Amino acid sequence: MDTYDAYRPWLDHPGTLIAALPAMLGFVPEQSMVLVTMDRNGLGCAMRADLSDDAASTARQMAEVAASSGPDLAVLVFVDGAGASCRMCNDDYRLLADEVTAVLDAHGVVLWAGHVVDRIADGGRWHCVDGCGHSGVVDDPAASPLAAAAVLDGRRLYRRRDELVEIVAATDADRARGLADLIGQAGHGGGDRPAAAARRDVEHVIAAAAALAEGETVTDGDVARIACALTDPRVRDTLYALCVGRTSDQVEALWSMLARVLPVPWRSEALVLLAFTAYTRGDGPLAGVSLEAALQANPDHRMARLLDQALQTGMRPERIRELARTGYRMAKRIGVELPPFGLRAC
């Protein structure tokens, strides 16, 4: 059996691989470089970065992260506008591909090909970056098998990355300042409180998520209490368990709302909970933008860094889901009964 038989459908048809990128990323990339890894199971992960003035440094970083997961090979795709709107010329693409090749070679990973495409849409045009003379047309992204799988999994595909970022964008600076005052007035949290206090806070979060799902209003007082509770590691650990239980859809909506309204630093905790929930159900794009926002708010957040590294290296959602078992152990200690592990809403 040829070493690359598992990859042939993608390697032999660049237009098909390029058309699959929106489903892998969750949005249609523009002015981007995308590095796709492959192993014996087929496609691995897809990493994207803007085409920018420091593209060479970014390309090397992407290659280091990609190599750390031990793939067999990778394909590099540059998405740049047609004609005069192109940010770079082909020599620039080739030099960036050389940077990626050098890093991957050092780790025993093959950069199989580099492609330049003007747009990822039905009829978009691609050509090889190394001057081999190969070129072609992009397949219809909407007809990609990966796009169909994403829809069946309940994932939304976005036309642009900006639409995805808006899901976690802060929405009301005045409200955030008011919430900061309320949180300061509440003045509780931390891990030195009685277990009963932590239990009541977890129960309050569960009730707030259920109320939000029923269309009820979660008051600023409720939001401030939850923010305070997130500073207690016992509460925070237990909440990760909720992300994989029967009511995970309810708590995900709550994390999303909290991420948009809470001020820093409490906002970062809501973002990481949202990222964890999205990751465990296979929504890597939402997890990615949530983690990016969380690390902007708190670059030293340990859980955010752990999840970001796992996502960048293509760790499977089922492995990440296992982290929630710590939450179940903590729930038992503080006396909270949670939905059984692994039962998610459909």
Side-chain angles (χ1 to χ4, degrees):
M1 179 178 177
D2 190 293
T3 304
Y4 299 114
D5 277 354
Y7 325 125
R8 287 295 176 190
W10 304 108
L11 300 181
D12 293 346
H13 303 282
T16 301
L17 174 62
I18 293 169
L21 294 182
M24 297 185 72
L25 295 169
F27 56 91
V28 180
E30 300 174 338
Q31 300 300 115
S32 301
M33 53 182 168
V34 183
L35 188 61
V36 181
T37 64
M38 301 183 194
D39 57 29
R40 294 186 180 277
N41 295 316
L43 291 179
C45 63
M47 287 170 283
R48 187 214 69 92
D50 291 334
L51 288 175
S52 61
D53 293 338
D54 62 347
S57 174
T58 302
R60 290 191 295 269
Q61 292 173 6
M62 288 175 62
E64 286 285 356
V65 172
S68 67
S69 64
D72 296 323
L73 57 85
V75 174
L76 184 61
V77 178
F78 298 100
V79 188
D80 205 349
S85 64
C86 282
R87 181 181 179 90
M88 299 180 179
C89 68
N90 203 74
D91 284 345
D92 294 319
Y93 306 132
R94 181 178 51 77
L95 290 173
L96 288 172
D98 289 345
E99 296 279 1
V100 171
T101 298
V103 174
L104 294 181
D105 279 351
H107 294 274
V109 180
V110 176
L111 181 64
W112 182 265
H115 307 299
V116 181
V117 61
D118 58 359
R119 57 193 176 92
I120 300 184
D122 190 16
R125 301 290 307 184
W126 65 268
H127 66 269
C128 63
V129 73
D130 61 3
C132 68
H134 291 166
S135 62
V137 178
V138 178
D139 294 352
D140 183 0
S144 166
L146 292 187
V151 172
L152 289 174
D153 286 342
R155 287 199 290 117
R156 178 182 171 187
L157 300 182
Y158 296 85
R159 290 177 299 174
R160 295 161 60 182
R161 186 172 184 272
D162 289 349
E163 295 180 6
L164 187 58
V165 172
E166 286 175 4
I167 294 176
V168 299
T171 56
D172 189 336
D174 289 338
R175 186 180 182 189
R177 284 191 288 270
L179 284 167
D181 291 339
L182 283 175
I183 295 167
Q185 293 166 15
H188 69 81
D192 56 351
R193 301 179 302 144
R199 182 184 69 248
R200 288 192 295 270
D201 281 338
V202 173
E203 292 170 346
H204 177 253
V205 170
I206 295 172
L212 188 64
E214 293 295 325
E216 299 177 19
T217 299
V218 178
T219 68
D220 282 0
D222 291 324
V223 172
R225 178 177 173 182
I226 294 171
C228 290
L230 291 176
T231 64
D232 186 333
R234 298 168 302 176
V235 174
R236 193 167 58 241
D237 287 351
T238 302
L239 295 182
Y240 283 109
L242 287 177
C243 299
V244 299
R246 188 180 292 115
T247 59
S248 59
D249 57 335
Q250 294 182 1
V251 295
E252 181 172 352
L254 180 63
W255 309 150
S256 181
M257 184 272 286
L258 293 173
R260 292 193 300 271
V261 304
L262 279 175
V264 176
W266 302 277
R267 167 173 154 80
S268 61
E269 298 299 344
L271 284 163
V272 177
L273 284 164
L274 176 59
F276 183 78
T277 312
Y279 198 159
T280 60
R281 65 175 174 79
D283 192 342
L286 178 57
V289 297
S290 300
L291 290 169
E292 181 180 346
L295 288 169
Q296 286 176 351
N298 182 2
D300 297 321
H301 196 291
R302 291 180 62 187
M303 187 63 162
R305 292 173 66 87
L306 171 68
L307 291 175
D308 187 57
Q309 180 69 15
L311 185 65
Q312 294 275 11
T313 55
M315 187 174 291
R316 304 293 181 184
E318 54 269 24
R319 292 188 59 188
I320 291 298
R321 203 171 294 132
E322 290 297 313
L323 295 175
R325 293 193 183 277
T326 299
Y328 280 92
R329 290 192 290 270
M330 183 58 69
K332 187 174 181 180
R333 289 183 197 171
I334 64 176
V336 178
E337 185 175 350
L338 300 178
F341 178 86
L343 292 182
R344 299 182 56 83
C346 296

